[in-house]
């Protein structure tokens, strides 16, 4: 079992913030945690990493109690930038993690290149923009190549290009076998990351998946989108050519596998394939807008 949260309850003074949270993750996945401020998202993440003590229930990560500090060689938690030290450089932060976890220093260059912060790794954090701090937090979180990556609002302060890069890195980590548990208010990016969404409201878990709610929309870019679009339409595929997105279609109408095969058989080069599940915002409105049940 990768993650097992069993009837977890947490209260501040006399107010229950978490009211019996249950969750199981049995194989690598990307799970999103969505809810308004005060719903208990950060409290749950802090409980999972033993920053906050549980009042009731239990948590295991990688089949080990979450209180076992040895698991944090394989579990990382990306928190907000208040954990950073302004008088230190980005390199100082990463070097400290390497020293504690006995990671070779060569990993610093690898991870800063991957995140895209090599040009300012020797600068002091007090001179960083919000987006640069988010890059550093990500580098700190993945330098140990974790099996579980917990993330609290990782998209805060990122410009659109950086947000896209963040998404691509997270998808790559997932493909490499990392389970990612991410809290975010950015519903558009969440839709692009995963359909496994946990909605939280007033300390309770309301919804565990949008898998069957909405269809995935695919966008494919090729070496010649105009000709590829014509070929697909000639073969009765229900597709559209959209500016800046390439050829788009819904999985309800068209099989991605069939599209890819036809393009491959006609020697088109696939440059990129993007997918988006149109569902998080719709469900969020149902659950949290005024007047919803």
């Amino acid at each position: 079992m990768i993650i097992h949260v069993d009837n977890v309850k947490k209260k501040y003074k006399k107010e229950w913030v978490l009211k019996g949270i249950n969750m199981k993750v049995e194989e690598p996945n990307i799970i999103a945690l969505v809810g308004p401020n005060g719903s208990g998202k950060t409290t749950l993440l802090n409980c999972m990493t033993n920053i906050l003590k549980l009042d009731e229930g239990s948590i295991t990560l990688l089949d080990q109690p979450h209180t076992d500090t040895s698991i944090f060689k394989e579990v990382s938690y990306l928190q907000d930038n208040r954990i950073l030290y302004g008088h230190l450089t980005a390199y100082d932060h990463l070097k400290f993690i390497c020293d504690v976890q006995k990671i070779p220093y060569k990993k610093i260059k690898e991870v800063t290149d991957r995140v895209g912060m090599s040009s300012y790794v020797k600068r002091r954090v007090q001179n960083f923009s919000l987006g640069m701090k988010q890059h550093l937090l990500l580098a700190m979180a993945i330098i140990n190549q974790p099996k579980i990556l917990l993330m609290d609002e990782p998209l805060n302060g990122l410009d659109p290009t950086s947000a896209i890069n963040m998404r691509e890195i997270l998808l790559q980590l997932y493909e490499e076998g990392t389970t990612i548990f991410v809290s975010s208010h950015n519903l558009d990016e969440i839709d692009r990351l995963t359909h496994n969404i946990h909605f939280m409201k007033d300390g309770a878990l309301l919804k565990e998946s949008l898998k069957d709610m909405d269809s995935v929309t695919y966008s494919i870019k090729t070496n010649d989108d105009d000709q590829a679009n014509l070929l697909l339409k000639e073969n009765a595929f229900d597709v559209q050519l959209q500016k800046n997105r390439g050829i788009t279609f819904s999985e309800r109408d068209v099989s991605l596998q069939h599209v890819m095969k036809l393009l491959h058989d006609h020697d088109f080069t696939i440059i990129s394939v993007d997918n988006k599940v149109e569902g998080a915002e719709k469900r969020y409105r149902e659950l949290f807008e005024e007047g919803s049940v």
Side-chain angles (χ1 to χ4, degrees):
M1 186 75 65
I2 298 175
I3 298 174
H4 186 194
V5 179
D6 184 19
N7 195 35
V8 165
K9 297 181 181 180
K10 178 65 184 177
K11 65 181 177 181
Y12 294 123
K13 296 182 179 180
K14 295 183 179 181
E15 181 180 357
W16 289 98
V17 180
L18 301 180
K19 304 173 182 178
I21 303 297
N22 293 283
M23 177 178 58
K24 291 182 179 180
V25 180
E26 299 182 359
E27 57 185 34
N29 214 323
I30 301 177
I31 305 101
L33 188 63
V34 173
N37 291 333
S39 60
K41 302 187 303 297
T42 298
T43 297
L44 176 58
L45 288 168
N46 286 340
C47 284
M48 291 173 71
T49 50
N50 200 35
I51 293 173
L52 293 175
K53 303 299 182 183
L54 308 182
D55 288 309
E56 293 184 30
S58 64
I59 297 173
T60 60
L61 304 175
L62 303 173
D63 290 320
Q64 299 296 320
H66 75 300
T67 53
D68 183 348
T69 57
S70 68
I71 64 173
F72 291 101
K73 290 185 178 180
E74 298 182 306
V75 177
S76 289
Y77 182 20
L78 188 157
Q79 298 173 265
D80 64 39
N81 60 54
R82 288 176 293 180
I83 69 168
L84 301 176
Y85 292 88
H87 64 285
L88 298 179
T89 67
Y91 187 89
D92 292 331
H93 285 79
L94 295 166
K95 182 176 179 293
F96 174 76
I97 295 173
C98 289
D99 289 339
V100 170
Q101 298 205 15
K102 297 180 171 56
I103 299 170
Y105 289 162
K106 67 179 181 179
K107 289 290 185 179
I108 295 177
K109 184 177 188 322
E110 292 177 14
V111 76
T112 52
D113 285 348
R114 184 173 194 175
V115 172
M117 56 175 296
S118 298
S119 62
Y120 53 86
V121 70
K122 295 296 182 68
R123 291 172 58 181
R124 294 185 188 276
V125 171
Q126 62 192 12
N127 299 316
F128 280 15
S129 67
L130 183 55
M132 292 162 69
K133 291 177 180 177
Q134 289 300 109
H135 291 156
L136 173 56
L137 290 168
L138 177 61
M140 292 167 62
I142 67 175
I143 194 169
N144 64 334
Q145 299 176 296
K147 292 183 179 178
I148 298 176
L149 175 58
L150 307 172
M151 313 179 79
D152 193 6
E153 296 293 344
L155 300 170
N156 277 357
L158 297 183
D159 58 48
T161 299
S162 295
I164 292 170
N165 291 340
M166 172 77 81
R167 183 200 335 140
E168 291 177 346
I169 290 171
L170 296 183
L171 290 171
Q172 290 168 5
L173 290 169
Y174 163 63
E175 291 173 358
E176 294 166 7
T178 298
T179 290
I180 300 167
F181 191 76
V182 53
S183 165
S184 179
H185 289 101
N186 191 323
L187 300 181
D188 184 63
E189 282 300 320
I190 288 299
D191 270 337
R192 294 177 182 276
L193 272 176
T194 182
H195 54 231
N196 292 303
I197 301 177
H198 293 59
F199 292 96
M200 288 193 71
K201 185 177 183 181
D202 299 328
L205 203 62
L206 299 180
K207 180 74 179 180
E208 294 195 0
S209 179
L210 293 182
K211 185 174 183 179
D212 300 319
M213 180 179 288
D214 291 276
S215 175
V216 176
T217 298
Y218 289 101
S219 300
I220 294 181
K221 292 183 179 181
T222 72
N223 59 316
D224 191 335
D225 288 343
D226 289 324
Q227 290 301 314
N229 182 58
L230 287 174
L231 172 67
L232 291 167
K233 286 185 176 297
E234 288 172 357
N235 284 269
F237 284 89
D238 186 4
V239 299
Q240 293 183 340
L241 183 60
Q242 296 188 15
K243 185 178 180 180
N244 299 324
R245 291 191 66 192
I247 301 165
T248 65
F249 55 91
S250 169
E251 70 172 358
R252 287 177 178 158
D253 306 316
V254 180
S255 163
L256 174 64
Q257 180 180 358
H258 292 161
V259 169
M260 298 286 282
K261 184 178 187 306
L262 182 63
L263 294 176
H264 180 268
D265 289 346
H266 285 77
D267 297 323
F268 285 94
T269 300
I270 307 297
I271 297 174
S272 66
V273 179
D274 193 13
N275 66 78
K276 181 178 180 181
V277 184
E278 305 280 355
E281 182 173 346
K282 175 182 175 182
R283 184 58 174 155
Y284 187 93
R285 288 177 180 273
E286 292 172 354
L287 291 171
F288 302 112
E289 283 196 343
E290 185 177 356
S292 64
V293 178

